Amino acid sequence: RFLGKGERRLKKAQRRLSKRVKGSENRKKARVILGKRHLKISRQRKDFAVKLARCVIQSNDCVVYEDLRIKNMVKNHCLAKSINDASWYMFRVWMEYFGKVFGRITIAVPAHGTSQECSSCGTIVKKSLSTRTHTCRCGCVLDRDHNAAKVILSRGLSTAGHVGTWILDPNACGELTATDVEVILHRQVDSANQESPRL
Ligand SMILES: [Zn+2]
């Protein structure tokens, strides 16, 4: 998340826009400034995703992750949430791209129940989001995310056919390309810039 200075400036620009008289030149100017603030944050987000993806790929021979699809994610109407999901997807797309460039294996595995399954014995240990520790009868006690990561890794290593390796023509399989993800992010930024009738 890009908070701090960027978010403060964004909020200020948003406030300024809402105070300007509708249809005025000053309102147009305020809208342009708000758009620039949004654009800067989305660029920072992209830079971060690219750098992190390159780092993760270069320091590992094989990367396994949950196969979360953006199609299911953008149904969520909460803007911050869907931008985060789009950022995550963008990160994944770049990871798969660098995987191809640097010759590393990337595997997307089914995300179903990764936090509920025991990484040691495979038993389903039901837990709510607030339960941060995985405690199984088999004696396996791990941090919730650590356990899920181990489940994801073992699912990846047992996958015969990869589903997440970079596809040469992503559109052929209905997958999104990095540019598509950028378009989605920009579209979200645009819709955030559109004036709400309440203003
Ligand atoms: Zn267990």
Side-chain angles (χ1 to χ4, degrees), residues 2 39-54 57 65 68-70 73-74 82-98 166 175-186 188-189:
F2 290 91
L39 195 62
K40 183 160 188 198
I41 289 179
S42 83
R43 280 183 185 146
Q44 284 176 325
R45 207 173 263 131
K46 186 202 155 187
D47 283 353
F48 180 71
V50 174
K51 277 180 194 146
L52 191 63
R54 187 201 289 266
I57 287 297
Y65 42 89
L68 303 168
R69 304 260 160 181
I70 200 158
M73 289 174 162
V74 286
S82 56
I83 284 184
N84 277 340
D85 289 345
S87 296
W88 163 250
Y89 194 84
M90 181 165 68
F91 170 68
R92 172 192 167 164
V93 171
W94 279 105
M95 226 168 45
E96 290 171 351
Y97 168 75
F98 285 125
W166 184 257
E175 287 284 339
L176 293 163
T177 61
T179 21
D180 286 336
V181 174
E182 272 178 63
V183 167
I184 288 167
L185 280 169
H186 284 135
Q188 284 175 339
V189 168

Side-chain angles (χ1 to χ4, degrees), residues 111-131:
H112 179 74
T114 44
S115 56
Q116 314 291 324
E117 198 178 305
C118 175
S119 59
S120 175
C121 69
T123 313
I124 301 298
V125 184
K126 287 251 153 97
K127 51 179 95 65
S128 66
L129 254 177
S130 58
T131 313

